[in-house]
Amino acid sequence: MQSSALIRQLSEQPRVRDLSVEAAQAVLALRYCILCRRSERDPIPELERRWGNILAARRYRLVVEAIGHVWPDPFVVAPPCCPRISFDEALLAAMVSAAAQRDRPQFDLLTAEMLGGDAREMIFAALENFIRAQKPERI
């Protein structure tokens, strides 16, 4: 493989459409939350419409706040219409997938280099709470 092809392959960003549904929705909802923050609007009504559940909307906002509170660098978010995801968004997608599968070791593997134990615990718990609210168990 030529070096230019290898560099292109290693630096190419994934597409939103290649993510799982839950991960893609989390990434797109994050983009929407960022837009709302910039325009000083509340994202909750749109998040509630997206998931059909006010509790899921509120808990997702807590996920976004937790990330904003503990992330060591500015979280890079692509524009809403961009078909490709940023590397931070790709990490968020993987974190959502790990939390949805209740795979704490995988979550820790993904985040251990950049987040301390308390930060990882806070984000994982926020993601678990969001996922539970998004898909309430039926009795």
Side-chain angles (χ1 to χ4, degrees):
M1 181 179 277
Q2 292 182 345
S3 62
S4 61
L6 179 61
I7 291 170
R8 187 173 49 254
Q9 184 180 6
L10 291 173
S11 63
E12 188 171 278
Q13 295 167 281
R15 293 181 179 272
V16 173
R17 71 175 182 216
D18 296 334
L19 299 174
S20 69
V21 171
E22 62 196 3
Q25 284 191 350
V27 167
L28 294 175
L30 174 66
R31 291 178 180 182
Y32 184 76
C33 286
I34 300 301
L35 275 177
C36 286
R37 173 175 254 164
R38 289 179 182 161
S39 62
E40 298 180 4
R41 291 182 23 225
D42 183 9
I44 294 294
E46 172 59 25
L47 296 177
E48 180 182 6
R49 187 192 65 71
R50 175 180 301 269
W51 289 302
N53 181 333
I54 188 68
L55 184 59
R58 289 179 178 156
R59 288 188 175 176
Y60 190 74
R61 184 159 72 177
L62 291 175
V63 169
V64 173
E65 289 175 9
I67 289 170
H69 182 69
V70 300
W71 216 254
D73 297 316
F75 199 92
V76 178
V77 178
C81 60
C82 185
R84 298 214 180 258
I85 60 175
S86 72
F87 294 111
D88 284 337
E89 289 172 329
L91 178 55
L92 173 65
M95 291 163 48
V96 167
S97 295
Q101 296 169 14
R102 296 181 176 176
D103 189 349
R104 181 59 192 262
Q106 176 64 22
F107 181 88
D108 286 341
L109 182 67
L110 291 166
T111 57
E113 284 187 30
M114 61 188 305
L115 298 174
D118 289 345
R120 288 194 313 274
E121 182 63 37
M122 179 173 35
I123 293 175
F124 190 79
L127 282 169
E128 279 188 317
N129 288 335
F130 160 66
I131 290 164
R132 273 197 306 274
Q134 190 180 13
K135 300 176 185 176
E137 295 181 33
R138 302 191 192 274
I139 299 175

